[in-house]
Amino acid sequence: EWRKVESPTQMYLIDIWGNAPDNIYAAGATLTNQYELLHYNGIGWKLISDQIPFGLWMFRSIWIDKSGKGVIVGNKGFFYDGKNWNLIPDNRFVRLQRVRGSGMNNIFAGGQYGNLLHYNGIHWDKFEELEDLNNFCTMQGIAVFENSVIIGGYNFNGVLIWHGRIK
């Protein structure tokens, strides 16, 4: 059975993720680079962008784990501790398109030009060998498992798939 649920925004929803039917988040955007973050509580959607510390943030993707903690990425990164969003003080959070994880100690954030970051629960590492600022590509889909990650994306020549093992 399907039913339409009204949204509090006219923005395009870029990404959606939830850990329960009453705890779903969505990142929205317009073509004029305005961004919003929404939360669904099982009854209706609510704008929650004002919960993010003030700034000109570009929200592109969100991921929440089973405990209700998570990460949002775009031109910056934010950790969510279940109550508050906290800026991740790392200048490598640029051009990120997607974030996914298998737990708060195994999160991948990927984006344009092969920018790929991994969080191991303590710090973020960058896969420098994947970045190529001279050739456009973008990482759009990420599936994270306990010991591996599969990333789908594209460049001007077609579809790209990366498969990596977690050490």
Side-chain angles (χ1 to χ4, degrees), residues 69-152:
K69 298 176 182 176
V71 177
I72 188 168
V73 300
N75 65 343
K76 295 287 183 187
F78 289 88
F79 272 124
Y80 184 60
D81 64 11
K83 294 183 181 181
N84 299 302
W85 295 94
N86 300 297
L87 181 65
I88 299 170
D90 191 324
N91 63 4
R92 297 174 296 179
F93 278 80
V94 294
R95 304 179 312 276
L96 294 173
Q97 302 292 311
R98 193 69 65 225
V99 62
R100 294 292 184 259
S102 65
M104 287 304 291
N105 63 347
N106 190 28
I107 303 169
F108 284 83
Q112 296 175 342
Y113 298 97
N115 186 16
L116 182 65
L117 304 174
H118 177 251
Y119 184 69
N120 65 7
I122 300 170
H123 57 82
W124 290 92
D125 292 312
K126 184 171 183 166
F127 293 89
E128 300 284 349
E129 66 273 19
L130 296 179
E131 188 170 52
D132 185 353
L133 296 176
N134 296 316
N135 294 300
F136 177 81
C137 72
T138 189
M139 297 173 172
Q140 289 293 103
I142 301 176
V144 180
F145 306 97
E146 189 172 324
N147 296 312
S148 67
V149 60
I150 300 171
I151 302 169

